[in-house]
Amino acid sequence: MCSIRKENFDAFGEFSFQIIDLIAEGNKVAVYMIHEGKHNKNPLMGLEPKGNTIRFSLMMWLTIEEGKIIEKRAHFDRADIENQAIKR
């Protein structure tokens, strides 16, 4: 999960993002979110689904031009996500 990509979302049958904080100035946007979902659909980071609920925080830094995101950086704890995915 080096970045937020569609295949990462496809690992979850259902999931939600809760926006905790959003700050915008000029063409920069910072978003702090909590992701929660059941890993019950497709592999995530090479790990087969076990039906575990996975919850993690995510910080995104976006650059906007002409109403479109032209740059996206996502920061999260990969080890925490992997540990939650392999627990049984």
Side-chain angles (χ1 to χ4, degrees), residues 1-12 39 41-45:
M1 207 162 163
C2 295
S3 66
I4 296 184
R5 299 183 308 245
K6 183 182 180 311
E7 59 264 26
N8 295 323
F9 294 125
D10 290 345
F12 298 90
H39 179 211
K41 198 170 170 192
N42 292 317
L44 176 66
M45 299 184 292

Side-chain angles (χ1 to χ4, degrees), residues 23-25 27-33 58-64 69-75:
I23 301 168
E25 185 175 317
N27 69 336
K28 302 291 185 183
V29 179
V31 185
Y32 176 65
M33 299 178 276
L58 171 71
M59 182 69 191
M60 293 191 70
W61 181 253
L62 308 170
T63 303
I64 312 292
I69 298 170
I70 62 161
E71 182 181 22
K72 172 181 65 180
R73 297 176 187 259
H75 302 273

